[in-house]
Amino acid sequence: MKKIGIRIISFLLICLLVFPPMAGAKSVQANDVKTTDWSASSINNMLENGYMHVDQNSRFWPHRPATRAEVAETIASALQLPLNASISLKATDLPASHPQYQAIRKLVELGVMDNRTSIYPDSKVTRAQMAKMLSIAFEVVVDNKNEAKFADCGPRYWATNYIESLADAGVVHGKPYQKYDPNGHVTRAQLAAMVSRSLYFKSQIAKLEIAYDFLGKTYISTFKENEAWVNETITMVNAERKKQGLPALVHDPYLDQLAVIKIQDMFEHEYFAHESPYYGHPWDMATIYEYEFSSFGENIARYISTPREALKAWMASAPHKANILKSTYTHLGIAVKKDDNGKYYWVQLFSSK
């Protein structure tokens, strides 16, 4: 995933890893984890939410290699997966009485683990194997165009694309001398950190703060700014429609996200027009980002400092007014962003569903 233009803010994936405990979760401390340890916040997150556990002596064993069963249980717990599964395991080395049997069976059903005659539940997990499991479990797009490169992961190595794609997304990190150590074993501390970062990545996707650009093969930031202005503009648009006896447009957060992408694309490629030199027409961009619609429209504006002024300008222009009052449109999304010179850009996106 080669980073282009507006890039994913990877430092956030590295730094903001402390999650609030789930409702009812208990504060758990490990007596062998110091607050100054690099993985302390991730381990505390795992423990407080019940995704990982200490032993009867309150030890976490951060440096101990994680087993395949431990990894399966941690991923299943972190994703809060229902453990019921219809698949039959082929494994002869995993009795139904095994403590992690259900977690392993669920991950096999989801394709995170292979349904083989031997699961090797007590075997250590390599860092390469971990990269593949995390990319599938947390639905990280894996491609062969990545900025991250490691000296010990060549183009023909089976796990290179998994490793590099996760590294670009901030989920995994390398080691000194530009190495990843793919055959090294994942420690419990590393497991906690990798899953914590994966959860943060998944939360950013869910909040529509990052998106995968299928053209550039990279995750880009789509953080929405000026949300109060967005809501105010939508209210005013629907007021105009009401005057004409038209139904209100549904505020669509996915259209908001596409509008953010359009503004960032204008900044990146230095243009102001409906047709992008990178994405093409607005409906082409929507299709690239897998947005479903039956019809699509766009209004743009710049150098306008308030929602009221933006709407006034659009309503004074026949083509823009026609979009706002088009009876067949059902959904609306808006983005407002300031360029490097302090000037505001506006994008309205309309769709029918």
Side-chain angles (χ1 to χ4, degrees):
M1 299 172 191
K2 186 178 180 181
K3 296 184 178 68
I4 58 170
I6 306 298
R7 301 182 296 175
I8 183 172
I9 39 182
S10 297
F11 65 90
L12 286 178
L13 298 176
I14 298 171
C15 300
L16 300 181
L17 298 176
V18 181
F19 296 81
M22 295 186 302
K26 297 180 180 179
S27 178
V28 181
Q29 293 191 0
N31 59 26
D32 55 351
V33 178
K34 299 178 182 179
T35 57
T36 54
D37 288 349
W38 71 270
S39 57
S41 62
S42 297
I43 292 172
N44 289 336
N45 172 48
M46 294 288 105
L47 294 177
E48 289 173 351
N49 287 299
Y51 302 153
M52 296 180 75
H53 308 281
V54 294
D55 66 12
Q56 64 273 19
N57 296 313
S58 296
R59 291 174 297 187
F60 183 77
W61 299 100
H63 306 297
R64 192 185 73 190
T67 67
R68 287 171 59 80
E70 286 178 312
V71 169
E73 181 181 44
T74 302
I75 292 175
S77 296
L79 288 173
Q80 300 181 44
L81 298 174
L83 296 183
N84 57 307
S86 58
I87 195 170
S88 296
L89 292 181
K90 299 177 182 178
T92 58
D93 59 349
L94 186 73
S97 59
H98 192 284
Q100 284 82 37
Y101 175 85
Q102 288 185 307
I104 292 173
R105 184 177 63 166
K106 188 64 179 182
L107 293 197
V108 168
E109 183 179 66
L110 296 177
V112 179
M113 301 177 74
D114 295 328
N115 195 6
R116 297 179 177 177
T117 54
S118 295
I119 289 288
Y120 304 110
D122 300 320
S123 295
K124 301 171 185 177
V125 177
T126 68
R127 287 168 57 82
Q129 292 168 340
M130 189 70 190
K132 180 179 179 180
M133 293 174 71
L134 288 175
S135 66
I136 297 172
F138 290 89
E139 301 177 304
V140 179
V141 178
V142 174
D143 56 48
N144 60 1
K145 188 178 179 182
N146 302 292
E147 186 169 283
K149 299 295 177 185
F150 300 101
D152 51 359
C153 297
R156 295 185 179 181
Y157 183 61
W158 72 270
T160 293
N161 289 338
Y162 292 111
I163 294 166
E164 291 179 352
S165 295
L166 285 190
D168 275 2
V171 172
V172 300
H173 298 160
K175 292 190 172 184
Y177 308 108
Q178 296 292 68
K179 293 185 177 181
Y180 179 74
D181 188 21
N183 296 316
H185 295 131
V186 175
T187 67
R188 283 173 53 81
Q190 291 171 347
L191 171 60
M194 289 177 177
V195 173
S196 283
R197 297 185 197 121
S198 298
L199 284 170
Y200 182 74
F201 169 85
K202 192 173 181 66
S203 75
Q204 296 302 94
I205 291 289
K207 291 186 291 187
L208 306 184
E209 293 181 355
I210 57 175
Y212 183 74
D213 182 343
F214 286 91
L215 288 185
K217 293 188 176 181
T218 186
Y219 281 99
I220 61 173
S221 170
T222 57
F223 185 80
K224 183 167 65 175
E225 301 171 11
N226 304 294
E227 190 163 4
W229 281 10
V230 169
N231 294 332
E232 183 180 347
T233 306
I234 289 173
T235 298
M236 290 191 298
V237 165
N238 281 328
E240 293 294 334
R241 290 177 63 87
K242 186 176 181 180
K243 292 177 186 177
Q244 303 301 320
L246 297 170
L249 297 174
V250 176
H251 184 187
D252 189 336
Y254 292 98
L255 282 178
D256 286 351
Q257 185 180 46
L258 286 174
V260 170
I261 293 170
K262 176 57 184 281
I263 293 180
Q264 292 178 165
D265 182 59
M266 288 194 288
F267 292 170
E268 176 73 14
H269 294 97
E270 300 180 341
Y271 75 98
F272 179 73
H274 291 296
E275 186 172 358
S276 163
Y278 181 67
Y279 291 116
H281 295 289
W283 45 89
D284 296 326
M285 181 183 71
T287 301
I288 289 168
Y289 283 92
E290 300 183 333
Y291 181 84
E292 296 183 1
F293 60 92
S294 58
S295 63
F296 204 85
E298 177 185 80
N299 285 345
I300 58 177
R302 61 178 173 175
Y303 309 155
I304 296 175
S305 301
T306 69
R308 190 165 299 278
E309 291 175 11
L311 184 66
K312 182 179 179 180
W314 281 324
M315 292 299 288
S317 165
H320 297 88
K321 181 179 179 179
N323 273 338
I324 290 172
L325 300 180
K326 190 170 183 177
S327 61
T328 56
Y329 284 147
T330 58
H331 291 68
L332 171 64
I334 297 175
V336 186
K337 274 184 174 289
K338 189 187 296 184
D339 69 10
D340 291 339
N341 298 316
K343 303 296 185 180
Y344 286 102
Y345 280 62
W346 301 69
V347 169
Q348 281 185 323
L349 295 178
F350 305 85
S351 72
S352 302
K353 289 196 170 186

